[in-house]
Amino acid sequence: MEGLWVPGVLLIFLLPCPVGSQTSSIPEQRWWTPPNEAPSQQQAARAPQEQKADGGREGLPPQPRCVRCCPPPEKHFYPQYHPVPQINVTILKGEKGDRGERGMQGKFGKTGVAGSRGHVGPKGQKGSMGAPGERCKSHYAAFSVGRKKPLHSNDYYQTLIFDTQFVNLYDHFNMFTGKFYCYIPGIYYFSLNVHTWNQKETYLHIMRNGAEVVILYAQVSDRSIMQSQSVMLELKEQDEVWVRLYKGERENAVFSDEYDTYVTFSGHLIKYSGDP
């Protein structure tokens, strides 16, 4: 198709175009019919005509049917506005009701960090005197014994046996064995007094459970004298304390007679240590 411009008139010439020599660049329009819509009367009338036209072009490839390829226009729906009535609650507020029951106590939270120590408060008033308590139980242990017979050493160690009893509280000192037996643990004080023999040595030990604790010794002399020894011991229950004469390597003796008591051995409890 060509045109010629003439002043006031536009001349258009139509040139024949052989079939199949050129193809139009304009794409074919296709009609799309939604599946839920029924074909219209025009489409129904057009169908037999298209079939005839297709039959007249025998030998040519079948032409595709025109369908609509574009989707239908979208429909927009807008929400309708419905006015909501407003109610003034303050007008409808009633009277205050009764207090309800107390609910169950909740779980305790985690323990927090200890705070700093507060200031010392004022001194309070003196309280009233309380009821008297039970009397404290006292513990006692004491003994004092003597010997009126002299004693000479032998070839073995000898336990000094006493024949006179001055004090023997609760019989803690055994007169037959010559030993003190501890029944009340604590701190004890012991003292030993003897009279030496002329021209003889005096050699004794205060013993505890078979071990020497302290010694009483007097050298050989022309005169006899009084000799003493003392010691404090911390004893446990069932401990034993006694006096032992040393064995006779040399002349070893303790003087005494039937009229006077020259040898004494005493002991008593100073402090009880059984309770914590």
Side-chain angles (χ1 to χ4, degrees):
M1 181 179 64
E2 297 180 2
L4 179 62
W5 175 260
V6 180
V9 180
L10 176 63
L11 299 180
I12 299 174
F13 300 95
L14 297 178
L15 299 178
C17 181
V19 178
S21 62
Q22 293 182 359
T23 59
S24 175
S25 61
I26 300 175
E28 296 180 356
Q29 293 184 353
R30 297 184 181 181
W31 299 90
W32 178 81
T33 303
N36 56 352
E37 294 183 3
S40 61
Q41 295 180 0
Q42 294 179 359
Q43 293 177 356
R46 194 189 311 166
Q49 295 178 4
E50 292 177 356
Q51 292 177 0
K52 293 179 180 180
D54 294 339
R57 290 182 287 181
E58 295 180 358
L60 297 177
Q63 297 295 328
R65 297 180 60 184
C66 294
V67 294
R68 186 173 182 178
C69 60
C70 299
E74 296 181 359
K75 297 180 180 180
H76 299 278
F77 297 93
Y78 298 95
Q80 296 182 359
Y81 176 75
H82 298 281
V84 180
Q86 301 293 333
I87 301 175
N88 191 354
V89 183
T90 58
I91 300 175
L92 302 178
K93 185 177 180 181
E95 297 179 356
K96 184 177 181 180
D98 299 334
R99 185 175 182 179
E101 297 180 358
R102 186 175 182 179
M104 297 178 64
Q105 184 177 0
K107 296 181 180 179
F108 291 98
K110 296 182 180 179
T111 304
V113 182
S116 58
R117 187 174 182 179
H119 299 287
V120 179
K123 187 177 181 180
Q125 298 180 356
K126 186 177 180 180
S128 58
M129 183 180 295
E134 297 182 0
R135 186 175 180 180
C136 180
K137 184 178 180 180
S138 301
H139 301 274
Y140 302 98
F143 74 93
S144 182
V145 293
R147 180 184 175 90
K148 291 185 177 183
K149 294 181 181 180
L151 181 64
H152 293 268
S153 62
N154 296 323
D155 293 337
Y156 56 90
Y157 295 105
Q158 300 179 67
T159 301
L160 193 62
I161 303 298
F162 298 89
D163 51 24
T164 303
Q165 178 176 286
F166 300 108
V167 175
N168 191 7
L169 193 61
Y170 309 121
D171 293 331
H172 289 177
F173 188 89
N174 193 319
M175 298 295 293
F176 296 98
T177 60
K179 295 181 179 181
F180 169 76
Y181 295 92
C182 178
Y183 294 98
I184 301 175
I187 299 175
Y188 286 80
Y189 174 81
F190 297 95
S191 64
L192 174 63
N193 296 278
V194 299
H195 192 280
T196 63
W197 202 300
N198 294 343
Q199 303 300 325
K200 293 185 179 181
E201 190 179 43
T202 303
Y203 198 165
L204 299 97
H205 282 106
I206 296 179
M207 307 290 295
R208 178 178 62 181
N209 298 332
E212 301 94 343
V213 179
V214 291
I215 186 174
L216 188 151
Y217 178 76
Q219 294 180 347
V220 178
S221 176
D222 295 335
R223 297 184 305 169
S224 62
I225 58 174
M226 294 294 298
Q227 193 82 346
S228 64
Q229 180 66 279
S230 61
V231 65
M232 293 179 64
L233 298 176
E234 184 175 2
L235 302 181
K236 298 179 181 179
E237 193 172 353
Q238 302 301 325
D239 282 351
E240 300 174 359
V241 179
W242 75 95
V243 179
R244 187 186 69 177
L245 186 65
Y246 197 73
K247 60 183 179 179
E249 296 179 356
R250 292 187 296 178
E251 285 290 333
N252 183 13
V254 176
F255 175 81
S256 188
D257 58 29
E258 298 179 356
Y259 303 100
D260 296 316
T261 304
Y262 289 92
V263 180
T264 60
F265 182 44
S266 303
H268 65 277
L269 176 66
I270 296 177
K271 184 179 182 303
Y272 172 69
S273 61
D275 296 334

